[in-house]
């Protein structure tokens, strides 16, 4: 196969136009073309009046070697890479200790899948409920304000990404094409096939629920074993070697290979690990507010006359501003046509997040607009960031009325440091409800100062971004894990506990669904090699 990049076509093109572009690029006839598949399709909207699609295609031709020689050195024609996943090891015939996977977010799910497909029959321990029951609990919280601390947006099968936009793109380097393995498995389990080729694929919550169930069924069919409502409260360690885990109900599971993929909100788990002497350190994260605009406004700003074209969908954005006080403000987890959701996992704390369904057809666009926080801002050791987050979440809870209403403010009022008392043309999407107020007290002064500088600056990229009636909703604190559980770069084990494999976003090694899943694959492979080698 040959890989052709940068094939650019107008948005109203058809498949014949794409085929003709391939033939023209290679100077071949239709008879010489055996077939092609689209590897990636992006759109370029820098010229709003002339938006184009940019394709990367894999082409099957009879005279491949001749064409490779002819186009040797061509920047947009080369041999297509082999993206088929190769298992690194399979379970030995002799007895071995079944690996344990703690946490069933994207990282734990794909770690368990690879281990199961390799014959290692993993044991999966999830503190929350299965994805369908968890969904009922989460929607129940949004309707009735009754928070279940173990079954919510953060905890339960599928992880925090289940209640998000279901974004499946990442900026990590992926030389082994593990991301392709992730997307292929998702499609096999019911995801739309388009996620294999569109530039910024997403799935959405309702589709993710069934996909996760399908993947679980495969893992179980291959000998995997699931235990829900099974929070790990302690580790069994002997002479620096993991020997198993202890659950909150006293049950023990023994293994000398434990993947720790708890997610970024498992604060009690981080505290337990710290007490047990597992080496960790504080890491940067960000905090801020969710901002909502009319999606139609974002579409018009980004897509111009092509706004509303179904091939382009709802427009997104990515913004950043470096402030005079040294802070950086940036957009995070932008959800086109989505909603702001209640994402608390602790009683008396308020957290926001963003979510979109597959259709992305809700009235508002929303994104987190956040300010960087460094370990120096949280000087109380590796767990200082957790204390910092909790303080802000408690403030938000109180500002909202101590009933899980979220505090909110019009952008115009925020910029004037004037409390909002009523709302304008942008209707907040957060449920259970919102309480207009002054958000100035919700974040540290340096963060408020940075946000007030950045919002008008973003108008240069998106005119109207600081629209007076746009709504800020507080508070976004769970952008990433505030801790990093240190692991060896070669064997991916904890630097001081052999057999313990910190992994995914919660451990500080990923950010988002796809990168977490890829990290899960890499850790599963490390365990597969270790067990197969008899270590």
């Amino acid at each position: 196969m040959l890989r052709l990049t940068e094939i650019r076509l107008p948005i109203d093109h058809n498949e014949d136009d794409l085929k003709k572009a391939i033939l023209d690029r290679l100077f071949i006839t239709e008879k010489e073309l055996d077939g092609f598949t689209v590897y990636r399709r992006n759109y370029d909207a820098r010229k709003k009046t002339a938006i184009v699609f940019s394709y990367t295609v894999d082409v099957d031709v009879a005279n491949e070697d001749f064409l490779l020689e002819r186009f040797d050195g061509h920047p947009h024609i080369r041999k297509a890479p082999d993206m088929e996943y190769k298992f690194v090891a399979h379970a030995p015939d002799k007895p071995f200790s079944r690996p344990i996977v703690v946490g069933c977010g994207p990282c734990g799910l794909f770690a368990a899948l690879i281990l199961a497909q390799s014959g290692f029959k993993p044991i999966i321990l999830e503190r929350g409920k299965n994805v369908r029951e968890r969904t009922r609990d989460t929607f129940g919280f949004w309707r009735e304000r009754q928070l279940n601390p173990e079954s919510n947006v953060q905890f339960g099968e599928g992880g925090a990404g289940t209640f998000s936009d279901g974004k499946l793109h990442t900026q990590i380097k992926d030389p082994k094409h593990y991301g392709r393995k992730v997307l292929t498995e998702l499609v096999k389990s019911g995801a739309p096939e388009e996620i294999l080729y569109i530039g910024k694929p997403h799935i959405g919550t309702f589709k993710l629920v069934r996909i996760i169930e399908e993947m679980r069924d495969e893992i179980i069919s291959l000998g995997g074993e699931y235990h829900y409502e099974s929070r790990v409260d302690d580790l069994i360690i002997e002479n620096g070697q993991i020997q198993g885990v202890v659950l909150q109900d006293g049950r023990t599971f023994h293994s000398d290979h434990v993947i720790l993929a708890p997610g970024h909100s498992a604060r009690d788990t981080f505290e337990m690990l710290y007490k047990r002497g597992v080496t960790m350190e504080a890491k940067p994260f960000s905090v801020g507010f969710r901002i909502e605009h009319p999606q139609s406004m974002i579409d018009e700003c980004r897509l111009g006359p092509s706004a509303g074209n179904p091939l382009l969908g709802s427009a997104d954005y990515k913004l950043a501003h470096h402030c005079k006080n040294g802070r950086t403000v940036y957009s995070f987890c932008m959800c086109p046509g989505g909603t702001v959701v209640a994402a608390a996992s602790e009683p008396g704390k308020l957290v926001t997040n963003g979510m979109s369904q597959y259709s992305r057809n809700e009235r508002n666009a929303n994104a987190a607009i956040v300010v960087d926080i460094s370990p120096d801002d949280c000087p109380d050791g590796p767990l200082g960031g957790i204390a910092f987050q909790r303080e802000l979440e408690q403030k938000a809870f109180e500002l909202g009325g101590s009933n899980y209403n979220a505090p909110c403010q019009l952008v115009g009022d925020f910029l004037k440091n004037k409390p909002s008392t009523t709302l304008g043309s942008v209707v907040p999407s957060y449920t259970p409800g919102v309480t207009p107020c002054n958000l100035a007290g919700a974040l540290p002064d340096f963060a408020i100062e940075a946000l007030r500088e950045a919002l008008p600056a973003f108008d240069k990229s998106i005119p109207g971004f600081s629209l007076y009636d746009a709504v800020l909703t507080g508070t976004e604190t769970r952008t990433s894990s505030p801790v990093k559980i240190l692991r060896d770069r070669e064997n991916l084990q904890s630097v001081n506990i052999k057999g313990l494999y910190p992994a995914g976003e919660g451990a500080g090694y990923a950010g988002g669904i796809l990168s977490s899943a890829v990290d899960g694959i890499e850790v599963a492979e490390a365990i597969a090699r270790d067990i197969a080698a008899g270590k």
Side-chain angles (χ1 to χ4, degrees), residues 358-491:
Y358 175 71
S359 61
R360 288 178 165 176
N361 62 0
E362 299 293 335
R363 180 188 315 172
N364 292 348
N366 79 80
I369 303 297
V370 294
V371 183
D372 62 302
I373 303 295
S374 77
D376 291 339
D377 297 314
C378 318
D380 298 328
L383 304 182
I386 293 175
F388 186 94
Q389 290 173 327
R390 279 176 167 154
E391 181 180 353
L392 298 185
E393 291 166 14
Q394 183 171 341
K395 284 182 180 179
F397 182 72
E398 293 167 355
L399 278 171
S402 299
N403 61 356
Y404 294 108
N405 267 17
C408 75
Q409 189 174 15
L410 301 182
V411 166
D413 291 340
F414 175 76
L415 294 175
K416 292 182 176 181
N417 194 21
K418 169 187 170 184
S420 290
T421 55
T422 58
L423 299 171
S425 58
V426 179
V427 179
S429 60
Y430 176 97
T431 56
V434 296
T435 301
C437 66
N438 191 342
L439 288 171
L443 296 176
D445 290 344
F446 66 78
I448 296 298
E449 177 187 356
L451 288 166
R452 286 186 176 140
E453 179 183 329
L455 289 172
F458 289 154
D459 268 34
K460 296 177 182 178
S461 298
I462 302 178
F465 195 83
S466 58
L467 174 74
Y468 201 108
D469 283 2
V471 177
L472 294 170
T473 306
T475 300
E476 178 102 4
T477 55
R478 311 284 182 91
T479 53
S480 66
S481 179
V483 303
K484 186 172 188 177
I485 305 169
L486 300 186
R487 71 187 188 191
D488 184 271
R489 291 185 178 181
E490 296 299 321
N491 60 36

Side-chain angles (χ1 to χ4, degrees), residues 107 172 283 480-481 503-517 519:
C107 178
I172 64 170
K283 63 174 282 294
S480 66
S481 179
E505 189 165 349
Y509 294 96
I513 293 174
L514 190 59
S515 62
S516 294
D519 198 55

Side-chain angles (χ1 to χ4, degrees), residues 274-330:
Y274 184 67
K275 290 177 182 176
R276 296 292 275 129
V278 178
T279 303
M280 62 176 63
E281 65 184 18
K283 63 174 282 294
F285 58 101
S286 301
V287 299
F289 305 130
R290 280 272 151 187
I291 191 167
E292 291 189 87
H293 300 92
Q295 181 63 48
S296 58
M297 185 194 91
I298 303 299
D299 291 343
E300 290 167 8
C301 289
R302 304 301 276 180
L303 304 177
S306 296
N309 187 312
L311 292 175
L312 302 177
S314 297
D316 62 3
Y317 57 79
K318 185 176 182 180
L319 302 168
H321 176 73
H322 301 291
C323 300
K324 296 176 183 177
N325 67 2
R327 303 285 170 167
T328 298
V329 176
Y330 64 97

